[in-house]
Amino acid sequence: MLLRDRILVSLVMLAALVAAGRTTLRYLERKQASLDYGSVAARSVPGRILNARPEIGRASFLSVTGNRVLVGARRSDSALYVVSAETGELTGSAGAKGDGRRQFRAPAAVVPTTDDSGGRWLFDVALRRLTRVRLQDGTPRIDTSTSAVVQLPPEMVLFDPVWLEDGTLLATGLFSEGRFGIFDRTGAVVGFVGSLPPNPRGDSTEAIRVVYMGKLRAAPDRPRLAVSAPYAGRLDIYRAHDWQALSADVPFPFEPQYAVVEGSRGLTFAPTRNTRYGYIDLAVTKQHVFGLFSGRTEISHPGRDNYAEYVHVFDWEGAFLDAYHLDEDLFVIAVDEEGRRLYGARHLPEPAILLYELDAVR
């Protein structure tokens, strides 16, 4: 499933363990109770299909810029599509598949700049590379200048970089220390910041990093950053000036439950049928954080556990403000600057991009 492509790090690590030597199950988690979704007054919101082309509906990410929606594509000939935010009409595409300078293997995010250049950076999670993309009348153009590519360390497992105000990059990943890595414009490591969430089970640091390596989003004015937990009922907000974290007041807090596998490379995370998904994607505005919440396990939702139909809204202090119940199972979302239009990608029954008109956050 497409969301599993986005969290491929756990599968890659598990495959590496199997290849390196026999893997043994360290222990399984206890069976999880069902969540009472009705305990939160979520407002039902119907959506409408914006674009149903299969290569667009199978989006790896969505991003809104002005009156356009940028769509990442891993399973088509182009890496990036652009559609009208109003009509869904395709206005352009860019990025051939491959490993070359202006090619892409696994586009995973569009990273806005912090200046007024109007550019966006397309991050390739497989190549560990950012490439500048510019929009011209709705058509994406890959920047060909020498400064338009940032190659991050290829030996590192990295996810979801964001530009900081000082021109450095912050990313989640499997690091030897800290929760985030900081990189300069050449891609060199500057340092590591932020602490990992608690580890009451005493699992290996590598397993905990995988469990909490969720989506990272910066507030448009960059004073704070939100990071989700894909396998826990948790959302953390970090202050960019000192990297101190506060935990959001999530309506369904739960600890991660998973298995630990042991091999020649040590201990790491492995999902099981009772592993519950938490916040699988994030979208932000200056005022709010929108979290796409699953709460599902493979047992409760066979074949659809890594999708979600609820969006929880928080302020940047972590206060829970509102909830929306969508009429489709989504796996990625984006919002416009006002937070009144939410765009989502579904995979089943047929791939499509949908638009939801939201009432104002309460």
Side-chain angles (χ1 to χ4, degrees):
M1 297 180 185
L2 190 56
L3 182 59
R4 294 193 196 278
D5 291 343
R6 294 177 48 226
I7 55 172
L8 56 83
V9 59
S10 60
L11 302 181
V12 170
M13 292 172 64
L14 184 55
L17 286 168
V18 172
R22 188 174 63 88
T23 334
T24 58
L25 198 63
R26 173 59 71 90
Y27 52 81
L28 286 171
E29 81 287 15
R30 63 183 181 276
K31 185 175 180 179
Q32 300 217 55
S34 298
L35 298 181
D36 180 12
Y37 292 103
S39 63
V40 173
R43 292 184 280 175
S44 296
V45 185
R48 67 175 174 90
I49 293 178
L50 197 67
N51 190 300
R53 293 179 58 163
E55 68 272 23
I56 294 177
R58 294 190 183 98
S60 56
F61 67 83
L62 298 176
S63 179
V64 181
T65 175
N67 62 352
R68 306 292 187 208
V69 180
L70 281 61
V71 183
R74 293 189 186 178
R75 301 184 181 184
S76 71
D77 294 334
S78 297
L80 181 69
Y81 291 94
V82 179
V83 302
S84 165
E86 297 285 343
T87 67
E89 178 185 2
L90 177 66
T91 62
S93 62
K97 290 304 176 71
D99 297 341
R101 180 173 174 80
R102 287 188 289 169
Q103 295 178 323
F104 302 87
R105 194 192 307 169
V110 161
V111 186
T113 59
T114 58
D115 53 34
D116 57 0
S117 64
R120 297 290 188 272
W121 295 78
L122 183 56
F123 174 61
D124 190 307
V125 67
L127 299 177
R128 278 65 156 177
R129 189 167 67 193
L130 292 102
T131 303
R132 194 199 302 268
V133 178
R134 299 186 184 277
L135 287 183
Q136 299 177 355
D137 298 324
T139 301
R141 305 291 187 193
I142 305 298
D143 195 324
T144 60
S145 64
T146 56
S147 62
V149 175
V150 177
Q151 178 63 64
L152 297 170
E155 71 278 7
M156 287 187 171
V157 177
L158 301 168
F159 282 83
D160 267 13
V162 298
W163 288 106
L164 300 178
E165 288 183 322
D166 62 1
T168 58
L169 280 162
L170 183 84
T172 57
L174 299 183
F175 307 124
S176 58
E177 56 184 298
R179 191 171 187 181
F180 311 108
I182 299 180
F183 307 85
D184 65 22
R185 294 189 74 93
T186 71
V189 176
V190 174
F192 301 95
V193 296
S195 58
L196 289 169
N199 179 13
R201 290 180 13 163
D203 291 337
S204 71
T205 301
E206 184 179 70
I208 293 300
R209 290 188 189 284
V210 175
V211 167
Y212 289 111
M213 192 164 56
K215 307 303 293 184
L216 175 64
R217 298 288 183 265
D221 50 3
R222 298 302 193 278
R224 297 199 172 188
L225 302 101
V227 59
S228 66
Y231 303 109
R234 185 183 182 100
L235 175 67
D236 294 318
I237 297 175
Y238 285 80
R239 302 181 306 197
H241 68 279
D242 62 5
W243 303 112
Q244 294 299 306
L246 59 90
S247 293
D249 183 22
V250 298
F252 297 109
F254 62 88
E255 293 297 320
Q257 301 293 333
Y258 52 94
V260 173
V261 293
E262 185 174 15
S264 61
R265 292 181 57 183
L267 303 175
T268 191
F269 159 92
T272 74
R273 297 186 67 226
N274 281 318
T275 297
R276 190 186 302 282
Y277 284 87
Y279 289 97
I280 61 175
D281 201 14
L282 297 178
V284 299
T285 66
K286 287 184 178 180
Q287 292 78 31
H288 300 124
V289 178
F290 295 76
L292 182 60
F293 180 75
S294 170
R296 301 175 176 185
T297 69
E298 185 180 346
I299 290 178
S300 68
H301 292 76
R304 302 178 80 100
D305 51 326
N306 53 357
Y307 295 88
E309 59 187 305
Y310 290 93
V311 173
H312 297 162
V313 186
F314 306 86
D315 65 20
W316 282 100
E317 297 296 324
F320 174 60
L321 303 177
D322 210 344
Y324 300 100
H325 183 198
L326 310 179
D327 61 352
E328 296 278 0
D329 281 353
L330 305 181
F331 49 89
V332 292
I333 59 171
V335 294
D336 65 1
E337 289 184 0
E338 292 74 32
R340 298 297 297 272
R341 285 187 165 192
L342 182 143
Y343 300 85
R346 77 176 187 195
H347 194 199
L348 301 170
E350 295 87 23
I353 304 298
L354 296 102
L355 168 61
Y356 292 86
E357 305 277 358
L358 303 181
D359 293 330
V361 174
R362 291 182 289 210

